Structure formats: structure tokens, C-alpha cells
Amino acid sequence: MDFFSDALILSRLQFAFKALFHIVWPIMGIGLSIWIFLMEWLWLKRQDLFYYRQARFWTKLFILNFAMGVVTGIPLSFEFGTNWARFAAERGGFIGELIGIEATTAFMLESAFLGIMVWGWKRLPPGLHLFSTGMVALGSTISAFWIMSANSWMQTPAGVVFNDGHYVVTDYFQAIFNPDFLTAFLHMYLACLETTVFVVGGISAWYLLRQQHTDFFLRSFKMAVIAAFALAFLQVVQGDFSGKAVAKHQPAKLGAIEAHWDTNPPGEGASWILAAWPNPEQGRNDWAIEIPHVLSLILTYNPTGTVIGLNEFAKEDIPPIVVPFYAFRVMFSIGFALMFLMLWSAWLWYKGGLDKDALVKNRWFLYAWMLAGPAAYLAVEAGWIVREMGRQPWIIQGIMRTRDAVSQLPAEHVALTFSAYVIGYSVLFMIFIYVAARIIARGPDLESPAATVGHAASSRRGVKND
């Protein structure tokens, strides 16, 4: 089959490209809004200009990130009506409800208070401005709640009955809080927070490496280390819970993630495969490097626990194997690499290696932190590839196949719009890099007095420009 003449494949690639590009911005939107809120709260609590200037500096990057999220998110929503019209018409009513709720609650809340947060410093009492910042952070969190609920419902549909192409919601609570939702939401939310603190720490490390504003960014770096230490370990634990949830509710996806073909017989443990080359036609791996019993131990806490294999399912219901298998290992490896970085950071701190004079000389350590932010983004992207490709061939698990959901469009039309999105989003990304680089190169404003607290804050401990 000619690749460029298949409207289904092109539509899937177009949606995947737009989704993977868009998700970059909500990650920082959620995490950075909470970081800014905490900085502003600490400023009001301690009346230390450092926290005020932290809030103002990171707000600049947040605004840029928010704009990119809006520009790339709206076309993604339209995709349901353009390329996936059959899904929207026949099975997408509940998804449309949740997306509508997200737009009218979370997005509107975030957008309404964003202007107050940005331009209200000299116009509002400090407590009211803090409230506005909190509403922006709350809006981003609520947005993640509804989006993850919608996506989780497609993974494990519940609370809805379909009859002759029509759906009826029988239980909104079950539909919203479907079996996949809680673990998926927590996993994604922790990923947003973790990625954000690694980006904050990485940018701070860049300034420290260049020995610019070292007093200011040494403090933000240490705060990022503390937050990342807790989040990295929490994410590993939550990832374990997520894996067990997949094994319970989506065993075919679990089989694809682990290239596990045959259900292990009683008394024999399932091996955990480090690397392999799956052969879907023959229902086996052509070669594999594996550790005996470990998969059973991880998933069941029993070295001989039963793990369902892919050969238990009809061939047409088996997901793609190679990409989810290796994407999961990319996510897994980065997660443990970030945890190792936190152990390294804790050890250096204990040895006094995070003092200013010692830290600026430890260039490899700072380089590692600069790489941690992009690595965390890569882990999130790999995780979403696992999540979405592992659900195939279903757009709604067990209810509607992806091939039955695509719009009846000429392949050349989809190829044209796909090409246009690739070009347009590439230009947007270059604009983002240019503007972000200018913000970072300009650095924080360490001279201006506080905008709203007045002499009480400006007379206390400030941070001098060094």
C-alpha cells in the first residue's frame, strides 16, 4: 500500500504530530503556574524580594508558553470534526461534553485571571493579586483533570451505553472517574510538575555555568533540587501503580509494552524483557534479552504470578509492538536517570558541593541538569506514544475501532494539511525558541522595587544584581 494514499494513516500521523507538539505547552503551563504561585506566596509571607523577582521572571516564560498552548490547542480540538468526523458523530458525544466543560470552566478561568496576574501588580492589593495567580494555577489543573478524564474514558469507557449508534450516559460519575482515570491523571500531573522543576533547575544551572546572577539562581536551583528530589521518587512509585492498572484494565496494551506473547504457565514466572525484536506475524520475539520472573514480580508481587500474553487475543486486536515497547523503555530509562541525578545532587549537597564557589566549578553536574529538562520532556512524549499507540486498534477501547472513526477524506487533502501543520508548527517553534532565548538572555530584573507590597518588602532582604 502506498503510504501517502492512505487517509487513515495520514490522519493518525497528523493528529499524533499535533498532539505531541501541543502537549509540550500544557506541561509547563501547569507546573510553572504553580511555581509562580508558590513564589508569590513566599514573597508575601517572608517579604523577601527574591521570591517577588522569581515570580516576575518566570511569569515572562509562562506567558509565552500559554500563548503557544492556545495557538496549538485550538486546531487540535477542530481535528475531531475535520479528520475524525465519524467518531465525533457516532461515539464522541461524551468526549465533546468533557472538552466543552474544560473550555468553559478551566480555560476560561485561566484566561480571565491571566490578564489580572500579568498586569495587576500595581493595581491590586497583594492578597488579591495572589488570588488571581492562584486562579490561573487552579485553571490549569482543572484543565488537566478534564482532558485526562476524556482521554482515560477512551482507554477504559464506563458509565455510557451505546445503542444503534447513539449513546446514553447512565452514570456521569463512573464515566468521569473511569477505571483508568486516577492513576493516569496522577501520573501525568506529577510529570508536569517534575518536568517544570527540571526546566527551572536547568535554566538556573545555565546561569550558574555562565556565572551570571549567581546568588539569585543558586537559590532557585536549590529549590528546584528539593522539589525534583521528591517528585522524581514519587513519579517512579506512581509509574508502578500505572503499570499495574494497565495490566488489569488493558492487558493487550501491557503485552505490547513488554513484548510478552505467551501467558506464563502456573509455577513459572514471566520474564521482563530488556530489549527484543517482536515478530507479530509469528506471535513471538525473534530475539530477546530478558530477566526471568521479574515481570511477574513487578506486576503481581509474586515471582510466578500470571501475566496475560498477546497470543491470548485475536490478531486484529493486538496493538503495534515495536514502537510502544521501545518508547516505554525510553520513558523508563529517563525516569531512573533523573532519579540518579537527584541522588547525585543530594550527595553533593551533603558534601557541601552546592555552595556557590564549588558548584560553578562542577561543570559536568550543571551540564547534567541542563540536559534534565529536555530529557523530562522526551520522557513525557514517549509516555504518550505508549499510551495512545498501546490502545490501538481502538479509538474507544472495545467499542469503536480507529479505522471506523476516520473522516472520508481524499488522502491527498490530508497530506496537504499535514504538511501545512508541520511547516506552520515548525515556524511557531522557532519563534518560541527565539523569544524564550531573548527572555533568558535578558535575565531577571534585580533592580526594580516590588510593585505592590511597597516599602515593607523593598526594605527587607533584597537580591543584589551581581
Side-chain angles (χ1 to χ4, degrees):
M1 179 182 294
D2 184 0
F3 175 82
F4 292 101
S5 65
D6 192 326
L8 172 61
I9 293 178
L10 289 171
S11 292
R12 288 180 61 188
L13 285 174
Q14 177 174 297
F15 191 88
F17 171 76
K18 291 166 71 176
L20 290 173
F21 189 87
H22 169 69
I23 198 175
V24 171
W25 320 112
I27 291 171
M28 281 291 286
I30 292 168
L32 205 52
S33 64
I34 294 174
W35 181 272
I36 293 166
F37 174 78
L38 291 175
M39 293 302 103
E40 188 174 349
W41 176 76
L42 286 170
W43 167 51
L44 295 180
K45 181 178 177 62
R46 300 184 180 181
Q47 297 189 1
D48 183 348
L49 268 177
F50 163 77
Y51 298 110
Y52 167 75
R53 289 167 176 165
Q54 278 281 321
R56 296 301 297 266
F57 174 71
W58 296 109
T59 296
K60 298 174 185 177
L61 290 172
F62 175 80
I63 296 169
L64 177 62
N65 189 90
F66 180 85
M68 290 290 295
V70 172
V71 170
T72 59
I74 293 175
L76 189 62
S77 299
F78 290 159
E79 188 98 352
F80 291 107
T82 56
N83 292 67
W84 303 98
R86 292 166 69 189
F87 163 71
E90 299 176 18
R91 295 289 189 269
F94 179 68
I95 300 298
E97 290 183 57
L98 295 191
I99 292 175
I101 293 172
E102 185 272 337
T104 55
T105 57
F107 180 70
M108 293 302 294
L109 178 68
E110 191 176 6
S111 302
F113 281 96
L114 179 63
I116 301 173
M117 168 185 161
V118 174
W119 290 290
W121 289 100
K122 297 181 181 181
R123 297 174 174 85
L124 295 175
L128 189 55
H129 189 277
L130 177 66
F131 174 80
S132 300
T133 306
M135 290 299 101
V136 173
L138 178 62
S140 66
T141 297
I142 295 175
S143 178
F145 175 94
W146 290 116
I147 295 300
M148 289 306 301
S149 177
N151 183 269
S152 295
W153 183 82
M154 296 169 72
Q155 308 278 342
T156 55
V160 176
V161 174
F162 291 98
N163 184 21
D164 295 330
H166 302 285
Y167 81 98
V168 177
V169 179
T170 57
D171 190 323
Y172 271 97
F173 184 86
Q174 286 188 5
I176 293 170
F177 296 95
N178 55 80
D180 179 69
F181 169 71
L182 183 59
T183 54
F185 173 73
L186 291 176
H187 195 53
M188 186 61 198
Y189 198 73
L190 284 172
C192 294
L193 301 181
E194 184 181 7
T195 301
T196 298
V197 296
F198 277 114
V199 170
V200 169
I203 293 175
S204 299
W206 182 83
Y207 280 105
L208 294 172
L209 195 63
R210 295 170 62 89
Q211 299 188 39
Q212 294 181 350
H213 313 302
T214 51
D215 290 332
F216 182 83
F217 283 105
L218 180 60
R219 292 180 69 181
S220 64
F221 179 77
K222 288 183 175 180
M223 288 191 299
V225 168
I226 294 171
F229 187 88
L231 290 168
F233 282 91
L234 282 173
Q235 185 65 297
V236 170
V237 174
Q238 178 56 36
D240 179 63
F241 291 150
S242 296
K244 289 177 173 58
V246 170
K248 179 180 180 181
H249 301 294
Q250 296 176 286
K253 176 190 285 190
L254 189 279
I257 292 172
E258 301 296 349
H260 177 63
W261 292 96
D262 296 314
T263 302
N264 53 301
E268 295 184 20
S271 299
W272 183 52
I273 299 174
L274 297 176
W277 190 255
N279 186 335
E281 293 300 320
Q282 298 185 17
R284 63 180 179 85
N285 298 317
D286 289 340
W287 59 264
I289 302 172
E290 54 190 66
I291 305 175
H293 306 292
V294 172
L295 184 60
S296 290
L297 186 62
I298 291 173
L299 293 175
T300 68
Y301 300 121
N302 183 341
T304 60
T306 301
V307 181
I308 298 174
L310 287 169
N311 287 326
E312 300 289 333
F313 302 92
K315 279 193 174 183
E316 62 269 20
D317 294 338
I318 295 177
I321 312 295
V322 176
V323 175
F325 176 81
Y326 280 104
F328 176 79
R329 275 141 188 81
V330 168
M331 179 184 66
F332 177 88
S333 300
I334 291 174
F336 275 91
L338 294 177
M339 192 168 66
F340 173 77
L341 177 61
M342 300 322 304
L343 293 173
W344 186 11
S345 303
W347 182 81
L348 281 179
W349 201 333
Y350 176 74
K351 293 292 185 179
L354 294 193
D355 292 339
K356 180 170 66 174
D357 294 336
L359 188 59
V360 296
K361 296 177 182 178
N362 199 339
R363 301 180 68 85
W364 286 111
F365 176 69
L366 294 176
Y367 281 131
W369 262 93
M370 289 170 60
L371 290 173
Y377 273 115
L378 179 59
V380 175
E381 297 280 21
W384 270 97
I385 290 172
V386 171
R387 181 172 176 82
E388 296 306 289
M389 288 195 70
R391 182 184 57 197
Q392 298 302 317
W394 306 97
I395 193 167
I396 304 176
Q397 184 73 40
I399 293 176
M400 188 178 198
R401 295 182 184 273
T402 304
R403 66 169 182 250
D404 299 325
V406 69
S407 302
Q408 299 299 308
L409 295 171
E412 57 269 23
H413 290 187
V414 184
L416 179 62
T417 57
F418 185 21
S419 302
Y421 277 118
V422 170
I423 295 171
Y425 280 18
S426 298
V427 172
L428 280 174
F429 187 71
M430 287 188 289
I431 293 173
F432 170 82
I433 294 296
Y434 173 76
V435 177
R438 285 180 60 88
I439 293 172
I440 294 172
R442 189 177 299 119
D445 179 4
L446 303 181
E447 297 295 335
S448 300
T452 56
V453 175
H455 72 279
S458 59
S459 64
R460 296 288 297 276
R461 296 174 297 160
V463 179
K464 295 181 179 180
N465 196 348
D466 53 313

